[in-house]
Amino acid sequence: TEHDWRLVALAGSICFLASAVAISLFDRARASQGRSRLIWIALDAIVAGCGIWATHFIAILAYDPGTGAGYSIRVTILSLVFAVAVTGVGLGVALSNPRKTFAAIGGAIVGIGVAAMHYTGMFALELPARIEWSPGIVLASIVFGSVFGALALLVAAQRDSARRSILATVLLTVAIVSHHFTAMGAVTLVPDPAIIFEGMQVS
């Protein structure tokens, strides 16, 4: 009841499209070597990171906390940097060795990048309320993102086929979306009109 499901659907659609491009770029990076591979990994990190970031903030726009809210511009930009940087590390690890273990570890790191982006993005949220977190649900959200991220790159690292690409895309989408909505389930807002924010923010 606290979400606009049209925007939730839009967030999911953008997440799926970004994941599809990310898996395609992962394939190109896997097929290349040396400097060329580094360029493809960097492009993939930017696409995946921006996809994670866009999914989060569109889904946050879908969320109505029942009070006016703004976002710290600095922390919001930092959340995007985290998404791109940590995802880049995960992709680099996945492609550093042809063994399946490395693909799984790299995917798990991508899942951690989703979490880093999400929780930093939540710190950017400015509203007259304190956010209280449920530790167990926070942990579950990180586990979901990491497990599905690991499965996504594990599948993506297998022999090329359309079925493999679609499955990897779906798993990466599930990694991002399951993390986000589980993490939102960990949130309890406690109204506090005494909270005042100063500095640059956007509504």
Side-chain angles (χ1 to χ4, degrees), residues 40-194:
W40 284 118
I41 289 174
L43 286 172
D44 199 0
I46 291 168
V47 167
C50 288
I52 293 164
W53 189 84
T55 300
H56 170 83
F57 279 100
I58 293 171
I60 286 290
L61 287 174
Y63 173 67
D64 180 9
T67 182
Y71 298 90
S72 164
I73 293 174
R74 292 188 185 91
V75 182
T76 298
I77 292 171
L78 181 63
S79 70
L80 176 58
V81 171
F82 279 163
V84 173
V86 180
T87 298
V89 171
L91 293 168
V93 169
L95 291 166
S96 65
N97 192 298
R99 293 179 185 172
K100 292 181 180 180
T101 306
F102 282 80
I105 293 171
I109 293 171
V110 170
I112 291 169
V114 176
M117 187 274 121
H118 178 92
Y119 289 110
T120 306
M122 289 301 292
F123 280 122
L125 185 61
E126 298 182 346
L127 71 171
R130 287 178 288 107
I131 297 179
E132 294 186 352
W133 298 96
S134 171
I137 301 178
V138 168
L139 179 61
S141 72
I142 296 170
V143 169
F144 283 153
S146 296
V147 168
F148 285 111
L151 290 172
L153 291 198
L154 198 56
V155 171
Q158 294 176 7
R159 189 175 300 174
D160 290 346
S161 72
R163 182 180 177 184
R164 176 214 58 115
S165 297
I166 293 169
L167 180 57
T169 297
V170 169
L171 286 168
L172 185 55
T173 302
V174 170
I176 298 166
V177 172
S178 67
H179 169 82
H180 175 88
F181 288 103
T182 304
M184 291 305 292
V187 171
T188 299
L189 295 178
V190 180
D192 186 349

